[in-house]
Amino acid sequence: FHAELVSVLDFLASPPSGCSPAGLLAMLGEEGGPSEYATWFLRALTACQLKKDRERFAMYLPDNYFGDLDGFVEKEVLPMGREVGQVQIIGLVEYFGVRVSIEYLDGHSEKVSCHELGSDESVTILKLLYRPGHYDALY
């Protein structure tokens, strides 16, 4: 699983001629392909981070998982096809020691609000766009 994550990251870091939008879309859309293995590995790393600091993360679980971090990880973090929420984003960001800037569009106003998560010391900042129910990578 680690090797597949590395192959995806290598592909993304390749010169523009190697990482075309069409090539990226093909790789990410390949059923059973490297992106699925990389995604599962990232889910496992997220689960480890949540369990490592279980008392802190337990406070932020949805009501139906109140106090049940293990159940949350088993049903919401590890399975493929589950939506990622803010708890999972915080866990993964903290695992890698990066920073994430999430731009929120709530549909009720024309304003965008921004929330920063992760290490203030990180030079790596990932930018996400959140539209209710969905995250998109900005850059």
Side-chain angles (χ1 to χ4, degrees):
F1 293 97
H2 176 264
E4 294 296 342
L5 175 60
V6 170
S7 76
V8 169
L9 295 175
D10 284 345
F11 180 79
L12 292 173
S14 64
S17 61
C19 182
S20 69
L24 179 61
L25 184 60
M27 184 200 54
L28 295 177
E30 183 183 342
E31 192 169 327
S35 68
E36 287 189 16
Y37 288 98
T39 299
W40 188 87
F41 188 66
L42 292 171
R43 287 178 174 277
L45 296 177
T46 302
C48 290
Q49 185 67 25
L50 296 179
K51 288 182 175 187
K52 178 179 162 188
D53 200 356
R54 68 175 51 247
E55 286 185 24
R56 182 169 66 91
F57 284 110
M59 297 185 308
Y60 299 104
L61 298 180
D63 291 340
N64 54 325
Y65 289 103
F66 183 75
D68 184 15
L69 183 71
D70 291 330
F72 178 77
V73 166
E74 183 180 320
K75 292 182 174 78
E76 302 295 334
V77 178
L78 291 173
M80 294 293 284
R82 300 298 297 173
E83 293 290 326
V84 171
Q86 193 161 343
V87 172
Q88 293 96 315
I89 290 174
I90 293 169
L92 191 59
V93 163
E94 288 181 3
Y95 182 88
F96 282 108
V98 297
R99 186 151 191 80
V100 170
S101 174
I102 301 174
E103 307 286 334
Y104 283 89
L105 284 176
D106 66 8
H108 297 294
S109 71
E110 293 179 14
K111 293 183 179 181
V112 175
S113 58
C114 179
H115 297 278
E116 301 273 331
L117 306 169
S119 172
D120 289 334
E121 299 165 7
S122 176
V123 294
T124 303
I125 300 175
L126 307 172
K127 295 200 177 231
L128 300 176
L129 172 67
Y130 177 77
R131 296 175 290 148
H134 186 72
Y135 289 93
D136 291 312
L138 290 176
Y139 55 88

